[in-house]
Amino acid sequence: MQISSLRLPLASLLLAAAAVPAFAGNYAEGDPRPVAQTSNVSSPAVAAETRAWMAAAPTLGYPEGNPQAVVQVQQKTRAAVQADTMNWIRSGLGALSYSDAYASGNHPAYAKASRAYAQLRGSSDAASASLTPVDGNAVTR
């Protein structure tokens, strides 16, 4: 009875001893810690190469010697935004916005609604456009 009761602890100790190297890691290959390396290039040579690179490097941002032009942004009125939104709804894109046709972008219903939206945006009188969408459903306010 005593021999069988010692079998399980001995087996677990044997398995634990066999697993210890796996937890220790293999630092001979693939060690993630950085290792210092010596260089054959002198410090003045590195400084000269850096200066040469900086002279030919492209400029980024807005340095004092190379000012960039300011982009002009146009602002729309509330009425223009509302008219554009109504054109989007009238064209049928509003009904398609959460459907598979809108997500794919090449669905026939999306192409039809996109053409209608482009036509509505191109019209000079957005206020006189019909409130009936392309697909025939009534628009509620």
Side-chain angles (χ1 to χ4, degrees):
M1 175 107 175
Q2 191 158 1
I3 294 175
S4 64
S5 65
L6 288 177
R7 225 181 268 173
L8 182 61
L10 286 176
S12 62
L13 282 176
L14 182 66
L15 288 174
V20 167
F23 292 122
N26 184 4
Y27 291 114
E29 182 180 320
D31 187 5
R33 296 176 294 175
V35 177
Q37 296 179 350
T38 59
S39 175
N40 296 334
V41 182
S42 66
S43 181
V46 171
E49 184 179 346
T50 302
R51 278 190 223 96
W53 179 84
M54 290 293 287
T59 57
L60 298 175
Y62 299 102
E64 292 81 15
N66 186 17
Q68 302 290 322
V70 177
V71 176
Q72 297 295 325
V73 179
Q74 294 180 353
Q75 200 169 14
K76 292 185 176 184
T77 63
R78 274 183 176 224
V81 171
Q82 185 178 8
D84 190 47
T85 303
M86 292 308 295
N87 287 339
W88 186 71
I89 292 169
R90 286 182 198 116
S91 68
L93 284 174
L96 293 173
S97 61
Y98 295 107
S99 68
D100 292 336
Y102 190 75
S104 70
N106 58 1
H107 195 273
Y110 176 77
K112 181 179 178 183
S114 180
R115 283 192 304 273
Y117 177 67
Q119 183 180 6
L120 286 171
R121 280 189 83 181
S123 69
S124 60
D125 190 12
S128 67
S130 170
L131 283 177
T132 306
V134 174
D135 61 354
N137 294 334
V139 174
T140 59
R141 286 188 174 194

